[in-house]
Amino acid sequence: MQKVRLKWVKNRGLDHIIERTTSIRASCLLLDHLARLPATSPVPARSLARLQKPLGLTVPVLRFLRRHPTLFAEQPHPRFPTLPSFSLTPASYTLLTRLADASAPDAHLRLARLLLLTRSRSLPLASVLPLRFDLGLPFNFAAAFPASHPGLFAVANNRISLLSASGLPEDIAVSSLQRRHAASIDSATYHALSRPPSSSSAPLAFPMRFPRGYGGMKKVKAWMDEFHRLPYISPYDDASGIDPESDIYEKRNVGLLHELLGLTVHKMVRRNAIRLLREELGLPHKFTRLFTRYPGVFYLSLKCKTTTVVLREGYERGKLVEQQPLAYVRDKVHYVMRTGVLYRGKGLSKLVLDEECTEEEGALDREEFEGEGMDKDADVEPFGMEIVDDDGLADDEDDEGDSDD
């Protein structure tokens, strides 16, 4: 199959969404961290200073906390009155409860699907932790899931494994592309979602949203038509018998990354997080080329000083096409953050957290807001994880010895 090399095109709308999500990520990680500390006294800001780099903040943590008084309340320390200390506000506790409630029903299903994508149905905990926010997993998922689902998950030797899929929904190993295909045909010809179309290798087309100008190019259309005519291999199927250098295997890899991004709450994930899964997922060493080679499916961004991949079909006019309950509650977190920034000292009195009251949020959405304390070139990694440097987009001229992708 002849491949057409396309030039990377910036998408300001998706870049803004990435910045917004990065800001929400930093606040949610701080909320989680503070909620797990003893509530006997406020937490000194200097004890949180070490979190500046993991949070991706380009300003001191103290400054970030003060910029969001609707989430973090500054209080004098009981022993050292001049020492800046912080505790969670009532709004923060309300949001933490809602975040937990929104993620609880299906968080284990997202993790189960991720494990089903791997060769051994297991992953090191260190590889799952960077995806905790993206998949909406609770901070104690490694202990909570095996306890609440003893027949499904087990943790041993710092690895989490899927023991059996028998207690999971029948369509757990059916990709989103196959489910969409099944929904588009007559139900009489497709009764069981638990089985991919006889067709597990039937040609299925990926939704394409090319950057402006590319979709009408004849050579791009011809290339995509040829690509879509290739058999579709489900990312949940064993692909060990397929030549890794073949076009079919490349389409399998595109489908696997499409499914992985579709599992996330915000339909985006950082390249560093995918790199930790590369061997378990059977991806090539330089998998970044798949993102740049198929810009109609993926958008690769360098915002926040890390390479982030977005599933294009996941967004329409700046909004998630399928907004999960957890994404809705995280929008509330962003609303509370913006209220504190825009109204400063009056932020708490301006908050409206009722489910029905969205007018105030809409008003704030019309205001220009950059994530406070989040530099456009900041990096974000979960707590306890080592920061891995990204040096930008990889192209087809990278040296074979390049350790990036």
Side-chain angles (χ1 to χ4, degrees):
M1 183 179 70
Q2 182 182 4
K3 296 180 175 63
V4 179
R5 182 168 181 175
L6 303 178
K7 185 178 179 181
W8 179 77
V9 178
K10 183 183 182 68
N11 187 311
R12 295 184 184 276
L14 289 178
D15 280 345
H16 177 73
I17 292 171
I18 291 170
E19 286 184 312
R20 179 179 181 273
T21 305
T22 300
S23 186
I24 295 173
R25 180 196 299 269
S27 290
C28 287
L29 290 176
L30 263 177
L31 289 175
D32 261 358
H33 183 73
L34 292 175
R36 284 181 282 148
L37 296 177
T40 54
S41 63
V43 180
R46 68 181 182 183
S47 69
L48 302 173
R50 63 183 177 83
L51 302 179
Q52 178 177 341
K53 187 174 181 180
L55 286 171
L57 297 174
T58 57
V59 299
V61 175
L62 173 60
R63 187 176 174 186
F64 180 80
L65 294 169
R66 283 176 169 168
R67 284 183 173 179
H68 300 291
T70 46
L71 288 177
F72 312 105
E74 184 170 2
Q75 299 175 352
H77 193 276
R79 293 184 60 189
F80 309 101
T82 59
L83 183 64
S85 303
F86 292 84
S87 61
L88 298 181
T89 64
S92 294
Y93 285 109
T94 300
L95 289 170
L96 282 168
T97 301
R98 293 187 181 183
L99 286 168
D101 292 342
S103 64
D106 58 356
H108 71 289
L109 297 180
R110 289 192 288 271
L111 178 59
R113 282 195 163 100
L114 173 64
L115 295 174
L116 283 171
L117 289 175
T118 64
R119 292 171 170 175
S120 61
R121 290 193 175 188
S122 68
L123 281 171
L125 289 174
S127 298
V128 181
L129 283 175
L131 292 168
R132 188 173 70 82
F133 176 86
D134 302 309
L135 295 175
L137 304 179
F139 72 89
N140 63 339
F141 72 92
F145 284 0
S148 58
H149 306 282
L152 294 179
F153 301 102
V155 175
N157 300 322
N158 290 323
R159 294 181 69 92
I160 186 165
S161 305
L162 183 68
L163 300 177
S164 171
S166 60
L168 297 171
E170 292 183 349
D171 66 339
I172 190 71
V174 178
S175 71
S176 60
L177 198 63
Q178 290 173 320
R179 289 197 297 270
R180 186 182 300 119
H181 175 70
S184 66
I185 62 177
D186 188 355
S187 60
T189 62
Y190 193 88
H191 292 292
L193 277 176
S194 57
R195 300 177 182 174
S198 50
S199 71
S200 172
S201 58
L204 296 182
F206 293 93
M208 292 284 181
R209 296 186 180 181
F210 282 102
R212 183 176 300 176
Y214 280 163
M217 295 173 61
K218 290 184 179 179
K219 61 179 182 179
V220 174
K221 283 186 174 181
W223 175 36
M224 285 297 98
D225 287 344
E226 185 178 359
F227 173 73
H228 284 149
R229 284 196 294 268
L230 292 172
Y232 173 81
I233 306 299
S234 171
Y236 297 102
D237 289 349
D238 182 13
S240 58
I242 304 175
D243 180 7
E245 301 299 323
S246 66
D247 294 335
I248 295 178
Y249 198 83
E250 179 167 311
K251 183 171 182 179
R252 175 261 178 193
N253 288 334
V254 173
L256 188 149
L257 292 168
H258 178 277
E259 183 71 8
L260 175 62
L261 288 166
L263 293 179
T264 62
V265 176
H266 297 281
K267 311 306 175 189
M268 66 176 69
V269 70
R270 289 154 298 151
R271 182 177 68 172
N272 283 342
I274 301 177
R275 179 184 291 131
L276 296 174
L277 307 174
R278 185 184 65 80
E279 292 186 6
E280 293 286 352
L281 295 178
L283 292 171
H285 181 62
K286 296 187 176 181
F287 63 87
T288 301
R289 294 178 179 179
L290 296 170
F291 303 133
T292 57
R293 197 173 290 162
Y294 298 94
V297 181
F298 310 108
Y299 174 64
L300 203 60
S301 173
L302 297 179
K303 276 294 179 183
C304 302
K305 215 173 190 177
T306 187
T307 309
T308 304
V309 189
V310 182
L311 189 63
R312 284 187 179 270
E313 69 184 77
Y315 287 89
E316 183 72 42
R317 298 177 180 271
K319 302 283 187 180
L320 279 168
V321 174
E322 297 178 2
Q323 190 176 51
Q324 300 178 18
L326 183 57
Y328 177 78
V329 180
R330 286 176 177 174
D331 283 345
K332 291 283 187 181
V333 174
H334 190 243
Y335 156 66
V336 173
M337 293 171 62
R338 295 175 70 172
T339 304
V341 171
L342 296 176
Y343 294 106
R344 301 298 177 180
K346 300 179 180 179
L348 287 171
S349 64
K350 294 285 186 179
L351 285 180
V352 179
L353 288 178
D354 293 338
E355 297 293 336
E356 305 81 10
C357 298
T358 58
E359 182 177 348
E360 290 79 3
E361 295 179 56
L364 287 176
D365 285 338
R366 292 188 288 271
E367 299 284 348
E368 187 65 27
F369 175 81
E370 297 290 345
E372 292 294 321
M374 303 301 303
D375 185 72
K376 294 181 180 179
D377 294 326
D379 191 10
V380 174
E381 291 288 342
F383 299 137
M385 299 302 297
E386 180 182 358
I387 302 294
V388 181
D389 291 333
D390 255 336
D391 59 0
L393 300 177
D395 60 26
D396 290 1
E397 275 76 29
D398 285 340
D399 295 334
E400 289 301 322
D402 184 7
S403 63
D404 220 22
D405 284 326

